[in-house]
Amino acid sequence: MAQRNWTSFWDSEHSIYVNAHHKQVHYRRIADDLRQYVKPGATVLDFGCGETQAAERIAEVADQLILSDAAPNVRSRLKTLYASSGKIAVIAPEDIATMLDRSIDLIVLHSVAQYMKADELDAEFALFRRLLKPDGLLVVGDIIPPDSSALTDVLALLRFAARERFLVAALAGIARTVFSDYRKLRAELGLARYSEGTMLNKLEKAGFAAKRAENNIGHNSARMTFLARPAS
């Protein structure tokens, strides 16, 4: 890769998803877990949405769903995929800062924090605090605890693959990952990790009243999800 960073990785052709079925059930699981936080008629912002193939499951409940991702190729594919939807919009991250204060009911930051620097995450939390309505909700999902390892992630994937019937493909995909750009970049840049207390403190400093959710969004139960509302 010409520029070794996470955005360029996600914008490239990669093999994180072992096959099309894996990608489909991965995003469907996330969308189904998130639906519990979507109020009918809500305006929802999914920041760092990735190549979601299940956005319509959120849009069924919400009035408007705004998808945002830093990777240009990902945004292009999303615009094509959801071109016929009157409820789903796709925007660049830099456009979010131009949105009106207190205009969003629900903001989702799922499986994104680990790829951001600590000060970048603080800046996003401050922006989200400005954009959320007084009774709005920020969902921060897939936070990696300090004691989590790559083996923990592998076991979580294998359990998910067994349930969703792509176990053989998952085993082959894990073998490919050993020689992949993802493994090299993870070794070079690392992934940000936060304890429960550290994440709660970051959210509180940004002006939120926060708590850890009982269950993480997505298939990896070893990771954490946090629910944060604007503090009065």
Side-chain angles (χ1 to χ4, degrees):
M1 291 178 290
Q3 183 181 10
R4 295 189 66 84
N5 60 45
W6 286 116
T7 298
S8 62
F9 171 80
W10 294 114
D11 206 38
S12 67
E13 294 295 327
H14 58 77
S15 57
I16 283 295
Y17 307 106
V18 301
N19 57 22
H21 178 63
H22 177 200
K23 181 187 285 189
Q24 181 184 49
V25 297
H26 168 79
Y27 282 113
R28 186 182 67 200
R29 169 65 184 271
I30 292 171
D32 287 348
D33 285 353
L34 284 171
R35 276 172 65 108
Q36 65 184 301
Y37 301 114
V38 183
K39 295 180 180 179
T43 296
V44 180
L45 169 63
D46 188 345
F47 183 90
C49 60
E51 299 182 72
T52 176
Q53 300 185 344
E56 71 282 350
R57 298 172 86 87
I58 301 297
E60 286 173 356
V61 184
D63 185 62
Q64 182 181 24
L65 173 58
I66 303 166
L67 302 176
S68 182
D69 198 274
N73 288 330
V74 170
R75 293 199 304 272
S76 178
R77 288 191 287 270
L78 290 173
K79 288 179 180 179
T80 299
L81 181 61
Y82 297 113
S84 62
S85 174
K87 286 187 169 186
I88 301 175
V90 181
I91 66 173
E94 53 266 29
D95 295 329
I96 295 175
T98 67
M99 297 174 68
L100 295 176
D101 293 2
R102 301 184 174 189
S103 60
I104 307 295
D105 296 287
L106 172 65
I107 298 178
V108 177
L109 184 80
H110 179 73
S111 202
V112 177
Q114 61 263 44
Y115 303 112
M116 302 176 70
K117 296 178 181 177
D119 59 340
E120 293 173 337
L121 184 58
D122 290 338
E124 293 303 334
F125 283 165
L127 173 60
F128 296 159
R129 176 67 177 80
R130 177 174 69 79
L131 294 178
L132 274 175
K133 294 180 180 179
D135 61 346
L137 176 66
L138 168 63
V139 178
V140 183
D142 229 29
I143 297 299
I144 306 176
D147 59 352
S148 181
S149 67
L151 178 59
T152 303
D153 295 341
V154 167
L155 293 176
L157 174 60
L158 291 177
R159 287 191 292 267
F160 184 56
R163 288 196 302 270
E164 297 292 344
R165 300 182 180 181
F166 64 97
L167 182 58
V168 173
L171 289 168
I174 290 168
R176 288 196 302 270
T177 300
V178 174
F179 306 100
S180 70
D181 283 334
Y182 180 85
R183 180 180 177 276
K184 295 173 184 175
L185 204 55
R186 181 166 173 165
E188 181 180 330
L189 300 179
L191 297 177
R193 300 165 185 271
Y194 298 97
S195 68
E196 180 177 345
T198 299
M199 181 52 62
L200 289 173
N201 186 56
K202 288 177 79 69
L203 287 163
E204 289 167 5
K205 284 185 175 180
F208 291 98
K211 66 178 182 179
R212 180 179 174 181
E214 184 176 348
N215 298 305
N216 184 37
I217 299 295
H219 73 273
N220 195 335
S221 60
R223 298 185 179 186
M224 301 178 288
T225 287
F226 293 85
L227 309 176
R229 296 187 181 277
S232 58

